[in-house]
Amino acid sequence: MRRSVAGALLLVLAGCGVDSGQATETDGELGGTLTVLAAASLTDVFTDLGDQLESDHPGLDVQFTFAGSSALATQVAQGAPADVLASADEELLAAVADLGAGDPAVFAENTLVIAVPAGNPADVTGLADLADPGRTIALCATEVPCGAAAARVFDAAGLTPAPDTLEQDVRAALTKVQLGEVDAALVYATDVAAAGSTVEGIDVAEAADVVNRYPLMVLEAAPNPQAAEAFVDLVRSDAGRRALADAGFRLP
């Protein structure tokens, strides 16, 4: 059963030692536990790729922690045991790049759009409506990639946003829209695609030049390095690129 762990998960620090995460490999068959820390916007596509890797290697258990990239980088810097780190921001991953087994590789790109509840009950038409105190708006906090990107978009438009809530990852902002708790949110294009008919997307012209680039790397202290390399290879394979493109990501 897929176990997708939220960002608030209490991770055991590496110094504690966990035998269950150690790699097993017999005749090229991967096994053990593979732990992947990934940006919240990768939830759907990475979960599917994890399922595929488990199907190819029945002895392998792929575990995910999806959260804001800044929280994940902090966990890695503090020694949380993990095999792969995938971020929605190159600068955040660069801060812990020295903990990687190799250079980070950019595998996808994303841009922001406005998400509104189905039917657009507040009649949101553009970015200026997210600067209207009369509407209820969700944005990502500026310390996470979607929030930093949103700040650049508003700067480019010469607008000051009027958020009612600042979320720690993009999926939390999207959920506010899906539940009808806010009139609109600025989220990634891929999140609108993943939400299906529960939300509607509105393109933002100023967002076209504000691109989030997604790097990933195998961590040097990975408990299961063979499985970690296999997962990274899958993400960067033709099949992985098709999955990313189908989810709405731009490919570098």
Side-chain angles (χ1 to χ4, degrees):
M1 178 179 295
R2 164 70 55 241
R3 292 185 292 275
S4 177
V5 188
L9 174 70
L10 178 61
L11 293 170
V12 182
L13 295 183
C16 296
V18 182
D19 290 340
S20 61
Q22 298 301 313
T24 59
E25 186 174 12
T26 304
D27 296 330
E29 180 65 24
L30 300 174
T33 299
L34 170 66
T35 302
V36 179
L37 309 183
S41 50
L42 294 165
T43 298
D44 300 288
V45 65
F46 265 30
T47 298
D48 288 344
L49 290 174
D51 286 340
Q52 179 178 335
L53 195 64
E54 286 184 339
S55 178
D56 292 341
H57 302 279
L60 183 64
D61 178 24
V62 183
Q63 298 278 338
F64 290 101
T65 295
F66 294 109
S69 294
S70 56
L72 298 176
T74 298
Q75 290 174 3
V76 170
Q78 292 177 346
D83 298 292
V84 175
L85 173 62
S87 169
D89 184 271
E90 285 184 287
E91 292 183 6
L92 282 173
L93 193 139
V96 293
D98 60 329
L99 300 178
D103 293 333
V106 173
F107 65 95
E109 298 176 344
N110 219 341
T111 56
L112 295 175
V113 300
I114 297 171
V116 298
N120 194 7
D123 194 27
V124 173
T125 60
L127 197 63
D129 293 322
L130 277 63
D132 178 4
R135 288 186 168 89
T136 306
I137 305 301
L139 297 177
C140 294
T142 55
E143 63 266 23
V144 296
C146 58
R152 296 197 299 273
V153 169
F154 282 109
D155 285 345
L159 294 170
T160 300
D164 296 274
T165 181
L166 295 173
E167 303 299 326
Q168 291 303 309
D169 67 65
V170 71
R171 284 302 174 94
L174 178 70
T175 299
K176 295 281 187 181
V177 178
Q178 292 175 299
L179 295 176
E181 296 178 359
V182 298
D183 296 323
L186 202 57
V187 302
Y188 293 123
T190 54
D191 296 299
V192 170
S197 61
T198 63
V199 306
E200 298 176 15
I202 299 170
D203 290 336
V204 177
E206 293 83 359
D209 297 324
V210 179
V211 179
N212 284 71
R213 289 163 54 83
Y214 287 63
L216 82 167
M217 67 181 182
V218 175
L219 296 171
E220 187 173 27
N224 197 342
Q226 294 90 355
E229 291 288 356
F231 182 79
V232 169
D233 288 346
L234 177 59
V235 171
R236 301 182 66 188
S237 70
D238 289 344
R241 287 171 63 82
R242 283 194 301 271
L244 289 161
D246 289 346
F249 287 94
R250 291 168 32 168
L251 301 179

